[in-house]
Structure formats: C-alpha cells, structure tokens
Amino acid sequence: MKKVKVLLTSACIFSVISCQFKEAKPVKSPSETGSSQGSFLNEPNALVGEARQMTFVGPKSGEGYFSPDGKKMIFQSEREPGNPFYQMYVMDLLTGNTTRVSPGHGKTTCGWIHPSMTKVLYSSTHLDPETQKKTQDEYESRKKAVKARYAWSFDDNYDIFTSDLQGKNIQRLTKEKGYDAEGSYSPDGQWIAFASNRAGYTETLTGEDKKLFDQDSSYMMDIYIMKADGTQVKRLTNSKGYDGGPFFSADGKKITWRRFSPNGSTAEIFTMNVDGSDQKQITHLKSMSWAPFFHPSGDYVIFGSSVLGYSNFELFIVDAAGTKAPVRVTFDDGFDGLPVFTPDGNGLSWTHRNEKGESQILIAKWDDALARKLLGLPAQDPALGSLSPDVRVEDVKKWVYYLSSPEMQGRGTGTGEEKVYTEKLAQLLKSWGLEGAGPKGSFFQTFEFTSGVNLGAQNSLEVVGSYAKKFELSKDYEPVSFSKTGEFREAPIVFAGYGIKAPASDKEVEYNSYKGLDVKGKWVMVLTDLPADISPARRHYLNLYSRLQHKVTVAKNEGAVGILVINGPLSGVPDKFGKVKFEGSLSESTLGVLRLSTSAATDLLKYAGHDLSSLQKTLDKGGSIEAVSIPSAYVKAKIDLQFQKSQGTNVIAKLPIKGAKSAVLIGAHGDHLGFGQFGNSLARGAEVGRPHYGADDNASGVSGVMELAHYYANLKKTAPHKIQKNLYFAVWSGEELGNLGSSHFAKEAVKHNLEAYINMDMIGRLKDRLFVQGLGSADNWTRIAEEVGIRTATPMIIQEDPYLPTDSLALYMAGIPTANFFTGSHGEYHTPRDVADLINYEGVVKVLNAVQGFTDLLTDSKVQMVKYVKVASAQSKMEGRTFRVYLGTIPDYSQEGVKGVRITGASKDSPGEVAGLKDKDIITEFDGTKIENLYDYVYTLQSVKPNKETTMKVLRDGKSLELKITPKLKE
C-alpha cells in the first residue's frame, strides 16, 4: 500500500521504466520554497515532538496503521528467517506483543484492522505456485555484490485476504488477475477501498496504452471500492497512470489517494467522494507526492513528497480543500514517508529509512493546533475530536485554541458566539453523563443585562435667549449613557468648576464647587476629572469624589435639571464623539447628562465674559472662582437613548452522586471582551477594535472545567465510591461586566447545598508558582492546600482575602467558601495579544492536578471539610476607588518580604514599557513618594497628575535606578 512506484536505493536513484531520477531544484528561502516543483512552507516547526522508534526487529518494517481504538497497530516487516519478503504483523501497543497474521510465505503488504477489532485485511501472493522459486531468486539477488535498483513489485498474484487477529480463518476476497492491494476499511467496516490494475488484463489495450502497460503494469492502476466481503466491486477512477493508496476520511465520506502522471514522472494528492464524484487535486508540487492520509478531523491531509529531492523524502501537510500552500513537517535526513495519524489525532506515526536502507516505524506527538495555524485553518471543534477522560495537554490545547479562535470573536457576553460555545459545552457534558442543573433540568441558565446604548432619532440641543445656537449631535455634543431621557424645557446655565463636593477630613479641608451657587432648576457645566496641579495627597482625596456618576448625584442633590460635562482646554484630552460609549445606566437619574465640546463651552463662557482657560488654570491650582452664570442663555434639549438588552447564558451541569447530601461546585467564566466593547479593554493604538481572544482570560479556566467534568464523570463510572458528594460544573457568562452570571446563580445557590466553590480564572501562564486565593473564606482551606501541595508537589502561594475581582466573590457573598486558582497577570491581559500560542499547556495540567487534589479531599467523604468564615476585606477600605491613571504596570501577586512593589513587567506600548520597566523590578519611589507596599503605590497612582512626566525609582538586580515616566489618563 502507498508504495512509491520505485523505492530509493543507497545510490539515491529513483527508478521507474518511464522516467529517470531528476534532482529537485534548490530551496529558495528558509520560509517558502517556490520552483517548478511548486510552493510550500519550509520554516522549521514543532509539529512533531518526542519522536521515538517503535519497531526494531529485522532490517525493514513499515506501513503501520492503527486500530480504531489506537491500542493496536498492523504493520509489515522483514523479520523472519526463510522469507525475504514482508509479512504482516499486529502489535499490541499496551503490551508490546507482536503476532504474525499473514501465512508466513509469499509477498505480503498493506494491512488494515477492521473496526470490529475481530479481523484484519492484507494483500498477499502466498497462493502463487511460483512462491518458492521467487523466494529463492530473491535470496540469490541479495547475495550479489552489485545490488540491483530496487523497485516495488506489482506482482499480478497479489490478492486481498482477511484473517482473524491470530492469523487464522484466512479468506480470499479478490480473485481477478492483476495486482489487488493497498486496501483499507471504511470507518464503519462495510467497505474496502483498494488499488488494482485488473483493467490492464481484462480490457483490450491498443497502441500507446498497450505499450506503456507492457512496460509498467502500474500504468492501468485505478481505485476501486467493494463491500467488506468482496462483493459489489465498483471502479472509482479511470485515469491513465498509477492511482493508488486510497484511504477513507474518519467520517467515511471522502477518500484520498495519489495519482501519477501517465509517464510516471510525478504524482499528486487527490480527494474524492466515496462514490468517485468530485475528484479534486489538492497538491501541485510537480514532484513525487504520495501516501496521503487524512487527519481524523478531515480538515487536512499528510503525505510524503520528493519535492526536496529523491534522496530526501519528507512529510508535508495540506488542507483538504487544497487552497493553502503545503507545510513541511519533517526535517531529518533520509526517507520519511507512509504517515498515519493516531485515531485521536494527537499522534503521528511514519516510516523512516536511513542511508543504509534500513527502515523502521516511528511515532511522535502531533500538534494539531500548530498545524491549523500554519495552514490557516480554524481551530478544531473539541466535540469532533477525541477527548480523553484523563486530563491531558492535548485536550487542554484543543479547548483553548477553539475558545480563543478568531471565529469566537472574543466571546462577548450575550453574543452569537456565546450561544455557539455554550451549546457545545452542554452537548459534551450531556454526552459524558452529566445532568443539566439549570431551570427545568436545562444545562443553561439565562439572565438579562443592559449591553449597550445607541442614539435615538430625537436628540437635539440648543441654547436660546440672547445667546442662541443649535448644536450638532456627535460633533458639538453627545448624551451620556446614564442620562435621563426625554424633553428638557428651557433652563439657565451655571458653571460649577469641577463639580466636586468633598467633606472635610482630619487631614483635608472641604472642597465645594457649589459654594455660593444656586443651581436649582438649572443646567450645570462641570469639568471632567479633578484639579490637576494640587498636591498628591489632595488629588488622592478628591479622586474619591471625582467620578462622573458621583458628580451627577451631587448635581441632582443640588437641584439641577441637567449637567454639561466638558474636558476643558488644559486637560490635554481631546473631544471624542461619534459613538456613545456604554458607561452603565442610572435608572433613577432625573438629570440630563450631556458631553459638550470644549469649543462650544469656550464660546458660551466667552459670551458671559469669562475665559475658560483662565478659569481652569485657577481651579487646577486648587483655587476657587466666583459664581459664573451665563446670562440670558437657556438650554433646551431632547435626549433619546435606545438601550440594548441582551441575554447572557451560564452553563451549569450536575454529576449526581447517590446518597449525597451536599455538593462542590467547580467553575470558570467563559466570556471575554469581544472586540473590546465589553468590560475594560487595555488595547492601545492599532490594537483597538480588534478581537480580544482571551486565551488565558479565560479559555484556560473553561478548559479546566471541561477536563475535570470529563474526568469525574468517568471516575463515577469506574470508581463511584471515590466520590461522596454531588459535583457541579459551571461556565459563567458576564464576568467581565461585573460577575453577572455567577451573581445571578448565587441568588438561588442555597438550593444546591454547596459546601464549597472552586474557581479558575487565568490559569494558563504558570511560571514558578500557583496562586490559590480566597482561603480566608473557610476554616480549613489552608490545611487542604498544605496536603495538596505535598501530594502534587505544586509550588503554591496562599492568599486569604476572598474579595477578589472574579466570580468567586459572588459565591462568597452568598455564604459559600471559595478558592480561586490563578497563575498571575501579564502584559497581554485584556488585549488582543492574549492568544493561545502563549499558554503554558503543561502548566495548565499542573494547575488542574492541584484543583483535582482540592476536589478529591472535599468530596471523598460525606464529612463537611470547610466551613464559611466572614472576612473583612482590606480592599473594602478603598471602596469606590477608580483607577483613572494608567501606567501599564503588572503587579507580582507574591509581594511577601518585598519592601516596595514588585512587578512582572509592563503591558505593550504602555507608559511603563516606554519608561523601561522590566520584569522583577521593585518600585521603591513614585512621584516623590516612598513606596513600601501596594497600598502606597495605589495611593500615589491615584494622586499623580496625568500627561506630566515624573520620576520612578526601582530596584533592579539590587541596584537603584531612576526612570522618567509619563502617566496617562485612561480613555
């Protein structure tokens, strides 16, 4: 099967009757080769890994093909005395035992194991009456000092036979004269595809056809199909030249094979439907390409080719449609061919021949995700692959690449992509034996949320009176998403500076923008943010009162009817109109809220006899101004906002355990930021508006939920006594919008009698330690962590505060002990650069081993292992804090023993990266303030002036450095 018409010799001569060896042209570049032989990607890659030799006995073994369950391999080998020809063997891949299934004499080739695992097929000449003579002739030939050029024999006595797995009950399926070989079963076992040149003996050939067939009997080789018992033979191809090596796709709908040109000088890879229709050439390398084999997904084909020269056959892959350039797979000297994937698609086996002419079978790990990337194919649907109940790197990789693929478009809450992947998760959970734990036994729990806002058709703004002007929507002004909607009758305008009211504290004096102002029944014009040139301590204090939502509340309490928000000429922030940004909604708001352009505000104040720049300059220094009213000018407005309501979807499954009284929940959020419109995107520059793939955040966590659900579902079947509590598995929606999905579930969590919740959020970047957070939420978490750390040798850092910015918080607030698993932040966080290629997949498996350890200790007895503890969070003391200034520093979450704040780097193109901050830097001073802990840093960050260069001191490798850094205001 899958024979090159004439194989290689040590003299590197490829010999067929119709053509002589032609050397391939030199490679043109390391990344892509283009020549008369065709184009292909030639860049070294890691598609195969951990290759090892499988066969060792005898000088030649090859053409190994797996059984459907992957536990056996049938292969041909020269390994027995008394017969120089290949015989057929079945190897048990669990024990290593090998059994010959062919008769032991004659020539044998092309084996295949039936899907029933009860029989095999192969092609053999053992019924040839000349077998003994041909055997002796072969021995004599091999004794000669000068070896003849070796060519594969198209012996017309080859017929297809079946036997059981012990080589007994041999049955002959073909009897026609000619070469019948290269057979393989269809996936359902009902059909056999094979190659035969029988037409050369049954049809009347004349002229050139007869001449070429007499010279080379493979000239009339074509693809046939027949029932598994040898009946209903049908010819599928009718092309002059050698058509051979047919294999079915895993779904049984397609066949791939190789087709030689009529003169035998080249061969290309083809595919067709099983009925012979839609025959399509998928390679154009103009060389000897042969032995194709479908990946189990059916998305691409692997094959061998001489495009680099006949002395160096290598493996290549090409997409099944033949629209992409083939990609080189192997890079070793010698012959690599006859490739075959393991049934799960995670391994590759092939035949390797060295320069001595010795051939053996190799096997290696196969990186399907990388293959798809190199071929430009979408990620594989995990449900279509072979997922193991064991937690494996290969399966984690399938999940992460699928969930973070471009097709998922960032998995925004309530999007069509969310519907696609949640249905996929539910489908698999059900297939593993879990039950739906949502309403009425469904796997889905939905919730409604406000997802966006659009401008309606009835917006207008004008000033009437002595100063009269109509303003243009999205040029001069724009409504804010939490504005009251409707019609606003004419009302006067008052300028109220920064619009802040802050009471006096033990260290700070009162700040009151409304002092001396009467704003009742009026529109208030206020500046965004807070005074820029005051002391850091003063800025930090006023920052708590500077959020726009708070300013709106203050204005409402003062009796205003609306608020006009302006940036001001000294802010350095340009006006950006055109698309209303959803900033939340305040349904109780009774104020109109509009953003007004700086130029429009400047003109209004100029009419009133004031210069906006001068006013802002005074205010920025902490000074106060006299009341500024704009005489005989009245705002008249209509505000029309159309809020979009969407539906988020949680996936919740239950693994019920007989007699269980309590349960443990394992979960992770599946949503991410879409194109940056959901949640807090940190994309900058050209990244803005691109898909935020969310590989670490949080495709990694979802992969963990699915892997553990599969593992425990199988454990229930194989060792049910090991699980004494019900297990729930959840994939939340809306985490990036504020834990919406988990909070919705938490409202009814009591009915599930949950003893504990384990959360996984960003577990894909394990370096030297795993953060296990929130363990102060229960009385016994640390003892469990200690035991798991010893059992799994997982380096863990334990943190107690359960008030975390992730779904575990929602469950903790519902009175459930929580533990959150996290491998740390990084520069790609919340940007389009959080991609599957950067995930540490072996690390994810290590994390899951630790999570499994926690789960086992929680569920292996009916005893309650953890009890809820109410904790006062350190973060609650800074409630209401908003990070308005952006540096891009990434904190190291293990700060123990560090005087200062250690970081793990700075995000791309951020002020921190521009300043030169690096991984493991320890910030010791910022903007003149000594930094001894994270709270010092947060305090200073909130008080520093944006867009103004300042200094930062860091310790790097024990040396103090001073850097210049310019904080930026968050957009």
Side-chain angles (χ1 to χ4, degrees):
M1 198 186 318
K2 327 322 170 229
K3 300 295 183 295
V4 174
K5 293 177 65 178
V6 181
L7 299 180
L8 303 178
T9 68
S10 58
C12 302
I13 297 175
F14 183 85
S15 170
V16 292
I17 295 174
S18 58
C19 70
Q20 298 297 320
F21 166 69
K22 296 179 181 179
E23 183 62 61
K25 293 187 177 181
V27 174
K28 289 170 60 174
S29 76
S31 60
E32 183 169 349
T33 298
S35 69
S36 61
Q37 284 86 5
S39 298
F40 60 92
L41 297 180
N42 197 34
E43 189 73 25
N45 55 60
L47 284 167
V48 294
E50 301 180 25
R52 58 186 174 86
Q53 189 170 322
M54 295 182 70
T55 58
F56 293 90
V57 178
K60 293 180 181 179
S61 294
E63 287 204 59
Y65 302 105
F66 294 97
S67 60
D69 62 4
K71 295 180 179 180
K72 295 182 184 298
M73 173 183 276
I74 189 167
F75 66 101
Q76 60 193 36
S77 180
E78 295 180 11
R79 58 175 54 198
E80 293 187 15
N83 189 345
F85 300 120
Y86 284 123
Q87 290 296 302
M88 198 59 54
Y89 300 84
V90 172
M91 177 184 290
D92 188 314
L93 299 180
L94 300 179
T95 67
N97 293 332
T98 299
T99 303
R100 175 165 52 79
V101 292
S102 57
H105 57 278
K107 306 170 188 176
T108 311
T109 190
C110 308
W112 199 265
I113 300 175
H114 191 268
S116 67
M117 299 293 294
T118 60
K119 62 181 179 180
V120 300
L121 69 76
Y122 54 85
S123 189
S124 176
T125 67
H126 67 275
L127 296 182
D128 181 4
E130 300 290 319
T131 292
Q132 188 171 353
K133 180 179 183 302
K134 291 178 180 179
T135 300
Q136 192 60 39
D137 289 345
E138 180 64 22
Y139 274 126
E140 293 299 322
S141 175
R142 294 189 181 188
K143 291 178 182 179
K144 296 178 181 178
V146 178
K147 307 294 183 184
R149 290 180 296 183
Y150 176 64
W152 180 251
S153 169
F154 298 104
D155 196 317
D156 59 16
N157 288 285
Y158 269 116
D159 279 305
I160 297 174
F161 297 83
T162 64
S163 76
D164 60 28
L165 269 65
Q166 287 70 47
K168 303 183 182 303
N169 301 316
I170 297 176
Q171 297 183 15
R172 185 179 183 183
L173 299 183
T174 61
K175 298 180 180 179
E176 287 73 8
K177 183 177 182 180
Y179 173 88
D180 293 329
E182 306 177 22
S184 60
Y185 282 113
S186 61
D188 61 8
Q190 296 187 32
W191 296 91
I192 296 172
F194 65 101
S196 177
N197 63 358
R198 60 181 62 188
Y201 300 97
T202 58
E203 295 179 1
T204 301
L205 302 180
T206 60
E208 189 71 10
D209 287 342
K210 184 176 187 306
K211 176 183 176 182
L212 290 174
F213 179 71
D214 290 342
Q215 292 175 342
D216 179 2
S217 62
S218 71
Y219 175 74
M220 292 297 293
M221 199 78 70
D222 279 300
I223 306 300
Y224 292 75
I225 195 170
M226 65 182 177
K227 295 290 284 186
D229 61 2
T231 62
Q232 299 184 35
V233 178
K234 178 184 177 181
R235 186 176 181 176
L236 299 183
T237 65
N238 190 4
S239 174
K240 296 301 189 289
Y242 184 4
D243 282 8
F247 283 120
F248 290 93
S249 59
D251 62 6
K253 296 179 180 180
K254 292 280 187 178
I255 290 174
T256 185
W257 83 101
R258 52 105 194 294
R259 170 170 288 173
F260 278 75
S261 58
N263 66 3
S265 61
T266 61
E268 302 289 357
I269 307 303
F270 283 71
T271 64
M272 62 179 165
N273 296 329
V274 292
D275 62 359
S277 63
D278 192 24
Q279 297 187 15
K280 181 187 300 182
Q281 182 177 337
I282 63 171
T283 64
H284 300 83
L285 293 177
K286 299 178 182 178
S287 60
M288 200 61 65
S289 299
W290 61 295
F293 197 92
F294 274 111
H295 185 264
S297 67
D299 293 337
Y300 55 92
V301 173
I302 192 166
F303 61 97
S305 181
S306 66
V307 68
L308 293 169
Y310 293 118
S311 62
N312 187 29
F313 267 80
E314 299 288 1
L315 300 182
F316 295 80
I317 52 174
V318 67
D319 64 294
T323 60
K324 317 288 186 181
V327 176
R328 184 176 175 183
V329 172
T330 54
F331 295 83
D332 294 326
D333 293 334
F335 167 91
D336 292 295
L338 304 162
V340 54
F341 289 109
T342 55
D344 64 5
N346 295 323
L348 176 72
S349 180
W350 72 98
T351 302
H352 177 77
R353 182 184 297 108
N354 60 26
E355 295 300 322
K356 297 179 180 179
E358 300 168 340
S359 60
Q360 298 295 344
I361 299 173
L362 307 183
I363 192 170
K365 290 184 176 179
W366 176 254
D367 193 333
D368 171 67
L370 179 58
R372 293 173 181 279
K373 179 181 178 181
L374 294 174
L375 287 171
L377 297 174
Q380 184 183 10
D381 180 346
L384 300 179
S386 299
L387 297 172
S388 169
D390 297 325
V391 177
R392 302 189 308 175
V393 166
E394 296 88 350
D395 293 349
V396 170
K397 187 174 286 189
K398 287 177 183 177
W399 281 115
V400 173
Y401 270 90
Y402 170 70
L403 290 168
S404 61
S405 65
E407 291 73 24
M408 285 292 124
Q409 297 187 28
R411 306 188 308 279
T413 301
T415 60
E417 290 71 34
E418 180 174 86
K419 181 176 176 61
V420 170
Y421 80 77
T422 53
E423 288 182 348
K424 190 67 58 182
L425 301 181
Q427 172 190 340
L428 280 167
L429 291 165
K430 183 178 181 180
S431 72
W432 298 334
L434 286 85
E435 301 176 355
K440 299 180 180 180
S442 168
F443 282 90
F444 306 111
Q445 181 189 51
T446 60
F447 57 92
E448 188 178 71
F449 68 101
T450 301
S451 58
V453 62
N454 289 320
L455 293 173
Q458 302 301 316
N459 285 287
S460 65
L461 175 66
E462 63 178 312
V463 175
V464 297
S466 298
Y467 181 93
K469 182 174 182 179
K470 290 187 177 182
F471 296 100
E472 185 177 342
L473 180 66
S474 298
K475 178 183 178 184
D476 300 317
Y477 81 99
E478 206 162 62
V480 175
S481 71
F482 46 79
S483 172
K484 179 187 177 183
T485 58
E487 185 172 353
F488 295 81
R489 297 185 63 83
E490 297 87 343
I493 312 169
V494 177
F495 179 64
Y498 277 98
I500 294 173
K501 282 186 72 173
S505 71
D506 58 342
K507 295 182 180 180
E508 296 294 336
V509 297
E510 178 191 41
Y511 188 100
N512 187 355
S513 296
Y514 290 87
K515 190 173 183 178
L517 284 180
D518 177 14
V519 301
K520 189 172 183 179
K522 301 175 182 178
W523 282 81
V524 181
M525 182 187 296
V526 301
L527 291 158
T528 58
D529 203 33
L530 70 159
D533 296 323
I534 55 179
S535 70
R538 186 71 167 159
R539 284 182 63 79
H540 185 269
Y541 179 67
L542 295 183
N543 179 64
L544 300 175
Y545 304 93
S546 68
R547 295 183 67 222
L548 180 55
Q549 287 90 336
H550 186 73
K551 291 182 181 184
V552 171
T553 301
V554 170
K556 179 183 70 173
N557 293 339
E558 292 291 322
V561 297
I563 186 168
L564 300 170
V565 185
I566 63 173
N567 289 324
L570 304 184
S571 68
V573 178
D575 295 322
K576 290 185 177 180
F577 298 133
K579 185 174 182 180
V580 179
K581 182 178 180 182
F582 179 65
E583 300 175 78
S585 59
L586 299 177
S587 58
E588 74 281 3
S589 177
T590 57
L591 269 67
V593 185
L594 298 170
R595 294 189 189 276
L596 188 66
S597 71
T598 295
S599 62
T602 299
D603 289 344
L604 269 170
L605 286 164
K606 183 177 180 181
Y607 165 76
H610 294 277
D611 178 64
L612 179 55
S613 294
S614 297
L615 293 172
Q616 188 173 11
K617 186 174 182 180
T618 299
L619 291 166
D620 279 351
K621 292 180 178 179
S624 59
I625 59 175
E626 296 293 329
V628 177
S629 296
I630 301 175
S632 190
Y634 305 89
V635 169
K636 180 182 179 182
K638 287 183 181 179
I639 300 178
D640 184 4
L641 294 173
Q642 304 297 318
F643 289 98
Q644 301 166 0
K645 293 291 185 181
S646 296
Q647 182 174 276
T649 304
N650 295 327
V651 178
I652 308 171
K654 178 182 179 181
L655 187 66
I657 302 301
K658 187 176 181 180
K661 299 281 198 263
S662 62
V664 171
L665 170 64
I666 299 172
H669 74 88
D671 67 294
H672 196 52
L673 306 184
F675 289 87
Q677 76 274 34
F678 297 94
N680 178 30
S681 170
L682 296 179
R684 294 290 181 268
E687 294 178 341
V688 174
R690 288 174 49 199
H692 289 52
Y693 302 108
D696 186 29
D697 186 17
N698 188 33
S700 64
V702 176
S703 77
V705 171
M706 298 304 290
E707 286 294 282
L708 292 171
H710 199 181
Y711 168 79
Y712 282 106
N714 185 66
L715 186 65
K716 178 185 176 182
K717 297 174 184 176
T718 57
H721 62 282
K722 292 186 176 181
I723 313 175
Q724 297 296 314
K725 294 170 185 169
N726 294 324
L727 275 169
Y728 286 81
F729 299 89
V731 175
W732 310 117
S733 176
E735 190 270 353
E736 300 288 5
L737 300 179
N739 301 337
L740 300 183
S742 54
S743 296
H744 185 75
F745 172 84
K747 294 175 183 177
E748 300 179 353
V750 64
K751 70 180 183 181
H752 301 293
N753 198 19
L754 297 174
E755 178 183 323
Y757 172 58
I758 292 176
N759 191 61
M760 293 174 284
D761 195 349
M762 297 175 60
I763 61 170
R765 297 291 192 91
L766 185 66
K767 292 183 179 178
D768 51 359
R769 70 271 196 243
L770 167 66
F771 298 99
V772 187
Q773 303 172 311
L775 300 195
S777 64
D779 61 349
N780 202 33
W781 276 130
T782 54
R783 189 195 67 78
I784 291 175
E786 181 178 84
E787 189 169 338
V788 171
I790 295 298
R791 288 184 178 185
T792 64
T794 303
M796 293 187 292
I797 290 178
I798 303 304
Q799 297 176 332
E800 294 195 350
D801 191 353
Y803 294 89
L804 302 167
T806 185
D807 292 297
S808 61
L809 178 60
L811 278 298
Y812 177 69
M813 298 303 290
I816 300 166
T818 59
N820 183 61
F821 289 77
F822 172 58
T823 55
S825 193
H826 44 78
E828 293 74 41
Y829 172 71
H830 276 200
T831 74
R833 288 173 278 111
D834 181 10
V835 296
D837 290 351
L838 300 180
I839 297 298
N840 176 0
Y841 292 98
E842 291 78 9
V844 174
V845 170
K846 290 180 181 178
V847 172
L848 296 183
N849 288 338
V851 175
Q852 181 187 324
F854 271 71
T855 307
D856 287 346
L857 290 175
L858 289 170
T859 61
D860 64 5
S861 76
K862 297 183 183 297
V863 177
Q864 182 176 352
M865 296 298 295
V866 289
K867 293 182 180 179
Y868 180 80
V869 174
K870 190 171 184 179
V871 178
S873 171
Q875 291 188 18
S876 66
K877 298 176 183 176
M878 292 182 284
E879 198 168 325
R881 183 186 72 211
T882 172
F883 288 88
R884 38 177 294 288
V885 174
Y886 167 72
L887 291 180
T889 52
I890 305 165
D892 185 326
Y893 284 82
S894 59
Q895 296 289 337
E896 291 85 348
V898 176
K899 189 174 183 179
V901 172
R902 183 168 55 206
I903 63 173
T904 60
S907 57
K908 185 179 179 182
D909 299 328
S910 67
E913 185 186 59
V914 172
L917 287 171
K918 295 184 177 181
D919 182 24
K920 298 183 180 178
D921 279 351
I922 299 174
I923 300 171
T924 59
E925 185 177 308
F926 178 36
D927 197 40
T929 301
K930 298 291 184 183
I931 306 297
E932 295 188 354
N933 52 54
L934 192 57
Y935 298 100
D936 291 341
Y937 183 56
V938 169
Y939 179 92
T940 308
L941 186 62
Q942 296 312 294
S943 59
V944 73
K945 183 178 179 180
N947 302 317
K948 181 179 179 181
E949 185 180 82
T950 186
T951 59
M952 176 179 284
K953 291 183 179 180
V954 301
L955 275 178
R956 183 180 297 166
D957 299 327
K959 296 180 180 179
S960 181
L961 301 175
E962 183 172 296
L963 305 174
K964 300 293 184 182
I965 189 166
T966 303
K968 299 293 184 183
L969 195 64
K970 276 192 176 179
E971 296 178 0

